[in-house]
Amino acid sequence: MRKLYFIKIYYVIDGNLTILNNTNLIKYHSHQVFWVHDYDNFELIDFSGKLVSITLNNFYYHEITKILNSEHILKQPIPLPNSLNQYFNAVIEDTNDNNAPNIQNNLRQLIQLIFQIDVHTKSTDCITSNISIIEAIVKHINQCSTDNHNCLWFAKRYYLNYSYLSREFSSFMSCPLSEYILGCKIHASACELYRGLSSEQIWEKYNFKSHQDYLLHFKRIHSCFPQEFKQYTSNR
């Protein structure tokens, strides 16, 4: 099965946790929220206690944040940690109560707060140009999943050697660029299926070679064909 692409949001219920995120050694304590993007080089160093996590598909994350204005966010204060705790706990409570409308509203607020903090953090952190470029490529792929771009297109866009970009992306993301593009297309298309489109409408929109090609890739990633996926989601 191919690798899936997510953002993971964690809440430390109790205890202490130390992670290495990219090159930063960070410690978290009880009642703190933190998150990890798929382009982060995340490693757990030490943990004793309990935590709970929410896993989101990257497409959903970018659907919510793509309308936010980074320049406007930088003029505002950084959101307080208590706000993150409030919305995270609300999502968990709503999930336990099976309150779908509230889950969506509180999850949207939580994601927007995370994005605001990311914008402030990345504007002050000293990160290498390579990491910046890879993050930009990841965001572009998630926001423009119907585009027919490949490694050569991105290499030309950022004035990089094709082989160098391919190697750096694979090293940083732990998967080839082509697989990341494919995974995002499949996940975005799953949202289209949920909204009522048929696989016959989708495969050309997302630039697959053929309808059969789309079906096989979808099966490989989701372990079922699009029609089965539609039936399953419609019955939930």
Side-chain angles (χ1 to χ4, degrees), residues 1-4 219-223:
M1 184 178 293
R2 291 177 183 269
K3 181 179 177 182
L4 307 182
K219 169 76 172 178
R220 190 176 302 157
I221 290 177
H222 284 288
S223 301

Side-chain angles (χ1 to χ4, degrees), residues 201-215:
Q201 294 172 295
I202 288 172
W203 73 267
E204 285 188 288
K205 178 177 179 180
Y206 285 87
N207 286 288
F208 285 92
K209 295 178 182 177
S210 65
H211 185 219
Q212 184 66 19
D213 182 56
Y214 170 63
L215 295 179

Side-chain angles (χ1 to χ4, degrees), residues 3 21-23 37-42 127-138 164-177 180:
K3 181 179 177 182
N21 194 354
N22 299 321
T23 59
H37 293 279
D38 53 11
Y39 50 72
D40 289 324
N41 187 9
F42 170 80
I127 56 179
T128 66
S129 59
N130 282 358
I131 293 175
S132 298
I133 289 172
I134 291 172
E135 288 182 355
I137 290 173
V138 166
Y164 174 80
L165 175 58
S166 177
R167 183 175 65 251
E168 288 296 304
F169 190 95
S170 295
S171 174
F172 189 68
M173 295 291 293
S174 300
C175 76
L177 178 54
Y180 190 89

Side-chain angles (χ1 to χ4, degrees), residues 155-170:
K156 290 180 178 179
R157 177 183 176 90
Y158 290 101
Y159 303 101
L160 294 173
N161 177 272
Y162 169 87
S163 298
Y164 174 80
L165 175 58
S166 177
R167 183 175 65 251
E168 288 296 304
F169 190 95
S170 295

Side-chain angles (χ1 to χ4, degrees), residues 113-202:
L113 288 174
I114 287 172
F115 181 79
Q116 290 170 31
I117 294 173
D118 277 345
V119 169
H120 279 280
T121 302
K122 290 173 184 176
S123 69
T124 56
D125 281 355
C126 294
I127 56 179
T128 66
S129 59
N130 282 358
I131 293 175
S132 298
I133 289 172
I134 291 172
E135 288 182 355
I137 290 173
V138 166
K139 291 176 182 177
H140 180 98
I141 293 169
N142 279 279
Q143 293 172 359
C144 307
S145 51
T146 58
D147 289 352
N148 193 24
H149 297 330
N150 53 26
C151 187
L152 181 60
W153 187 89
F154 284 110
K156 290 180 178 179
R157 177 183 176 90
Y158 290 101
Y159 303 101
L160 294 173
N161 177 272
Y162 169 87
S163 298
Y164 174 80
L165 175 58
S166 177
R167 183 175 65 251
E168 288 296 304
F169 190 95
S170 295
S171 174
F172 189 68
M173 295 291 293
S174 300
C175 76
L177 178 54
S178 58
E179 285 206 21
Y180 190 89
I181 293 172
L182 175 61
C184 290
K185 285 180 178 292
I186 292 295
H187 294 313
S189 76
C191 294
E192 301 266 33
L193 289 168
Y194 182 75
R195 294 173 186 142
L197 267 68
S198 67
S199 60
E200 289 81 2
Q201 294 172 295
I202 288 172

Side-chain angles (χ1 to χ4, degrees), residues 9 54 56 60 64 83-95 99-114:
I9 310 170
I54 299 173
L56 298 174
Y60 182 75
I64 291 174
S83 300
L84 291 168
N85 294 357
Q86 172 190 339
Y87 285 111
F88 189 100
N89 289 324
V91 171
I92 298 300
E93 291 174 6
D94 293 334
T95 302
N99 191 334
N102 278 0
I103 292 173
Q104 293 293 326
N105 292 334
N106 287 315
L107 192 56
R108 179 176 292 273
Q109 292 297 323
L110 177 62
I111 291 172
Q112 289 181 352
L113 288 174
I114 287 172

